[in-house]
Amino acid sequence: MPFSTALKLPKRPFCGSTAYTGAVAVTRFRAFAAFVLAAWLSPAWVVIPAAAAAAPSPPNIVLVYADDLGFGDVGMNGSATVRTPNIDALAADGLRFTNAHAPAATCTPSRYSLLTGEYAWRRTGTGVLPGDASLIIEPGRTTLPSLLRQAGYATGVVGKWHLGLGAGDVDWNRDIAPGPLDVGFDYAFILPATGDRVPCVYVEDRRVVGLDPADPIRVSYRERVGDEPTGKARPDLLKLHPSHGHDQTIVNGISRIGYMSGGAKARWVDEDIADTITAKAVSFIERHRARPFFLYFATHDIHVPRAPHPRFTGSSGMGPRGDAIVEFDWSVGEIVKALDRLGLASNTLLVVTSDNGPVVDDGYRDQAVERLGAHRPAGPYRGGKCSAFEGGTRVPFVLRWPVRVRRGVSGALVGQIDLASSLAALTGQPVPPGAAPDSQNVLPALLGQSREGREWIVEQAGPLSLIKGRWKYIEPRDGPRVSTSTNTELGNDPGPQLFDLKADPGERRNLAAAHPDRVAELAALLTRVRER
Ligand code: NG6
Ligand code: CA
């Protein structure tokens, strides 16, 4: 495709360091001074509540990024089937968005776009990655965290990464670089890829946590390494069985995608992941309480394998998928409690959203289909994860910042891809030319000062879609209508599709034949965006 450029490999030296040097401190002081100046000059400050006007300090920013949580999976969006009191409380105290979009209907491209402000479909190699993939963000590039670091923030990522590590043939037994520390984060405690992909270990900064050098880790996505049993050969050893794929190395009684050997003491216990990473997130907040910080807390919940802690078993009445939602809500509640305890709640901008839409059976026999009952994971929307229909990318999005953000509900069109430019604007950081090219500053919408967000947005599944106002155009694409593995409607169609999202949010009536001019207009706009 002419708009795709091959991913350029790192040319610059790696920049990561967890220590704060004096030079960094001076830069941060200057950045803070610039922030204060920008804040006073900004007309937005004219309307802020008195408490904030008295103390114009940059807010802490916590972005909680769920995995595969659907629009309809949370009480705040109308779910009566699963209880999410902590998320719902944020909606009551903050601003809930009904027209907010993940950049893509799967994980890696959404996360790539979130962090770089660039549509992932502009680059090859940004699809769902295996666990041994190289880092797909060039070290030293301007990113959401690097912009905030430049503004004086301490920046940390805790949780799922799934953007690759290293520069080819990563050795899990040594320093792992490049990684998050080379693209804007000061601190990282991550699951390298996904819960269902090896290696099933945590990486803190550049090292596997708890690794015994006498038991080195080997990973392969091509062939079996070592002699550990696989789910395919030894289903009798499994506590959770695959429904499709996921039949390679068994870790903690669950077979995964990919093969690994070694690292026995370093392996995670799935039931403890939420506790472990939530504690790390809280500890990052505690360590940086005295300064502005940005925490990107990317939970494993509610991705497969769904193995929430036993204390959540039965909490939803819907089996492990519902219980994982309750566990996710618990994690959100722990963040809120920590902010309250440390006196940081009022000046912290807290966002909760999800990387893509929901999926019910995503490869393990975990009763998600059988026990779904009346629950509708995508709410009123059609499709789900991997789908070009709204279920794929219309996600829960709530933002709370008590001293600054108006309470309520917003229908403004906003994208996660806009966080880079919007948070740069908030913190007085210029975005260098060419950086975050697809990210728009929608700060007035995010703060509840404007009902208008973007004019249009592109969404990525198999085909690309473009939403402008009430209209949604899905470009023609051959391919299966329904995924044989997940049973999701994918939105592929050899002809153009046009939906009136206002009259038909469930995308049931394709109006392309009735409105050829509209189709031509939106197709031309999509072409222009592509060629930009
Ligand atoms: C699919 C996996 C699915 C999930 C997805 C990525 C199979 C059969 N299915 O290939 O289980 O891992 O990739 O999910 O292997 S995402 O949220 O990280 O994009
Ligand atoms: Ca996902």
Side-chain angles (χ1 to χ4, degrees), residues 21 49 70 81 162 201 271 334 345 371 376 378 413 429 443 452 504:
T21 63
T81 33
H162 211 187
V201 294
E271 292 80 353
E334 291 301 294
R371 299 184 64 180
R376 298 187 60 195
L413 177 64
Q429 293 308 300
L443 192 58
E452 305 297 325
D504 177 28

Side-chain angles (χ1 to χ4, degrees), residues 480-502:
R481 305 264 172 151
V482 177
S483 159
T484 47
S485 53
T486 64
N487 201 27
T488 306
E489 290 188 284
L490 298 172
N492 295 317
D493 192 305
Q497 296 178 82
L498 180 76
F499 297 101
D500 176 348
L501 292 177
K502 198 166 178 196

Side-chain angles (χ1 to χ4, degrees), residues 66-68 105-108 111 160 303 354-357 385:
D67 200 352
D68 299 357
T106 50
C107 171
T108 301
R111 287 161 205 255
K160 173 173 171 176
H303 200 278
S354 174
D355 69 336
N356 53 251
K385 179 176 176 175

Side-chain angles (χ1 to χ4, degrees), residues 423-445:
L423 297 180
L426 174 70
T427 53
Q429 293 308 300
V431 178
D438 297 304
S439 183
Q440 295 184 10
N441 175 7
V442 293
L443 192 58

Side-chain angles (χ1 to χ4, degrees), residues 364-384:
Y364 290 96
R365 279 158 37 198
D366 60 7
Q367 296 279 302
V369 175
E370 296 83 342
R371 299 184 64 180
L372 194 61
H375 182 66
R376 298 187 60 195
Y381 301 110
R382 186 173 178 183

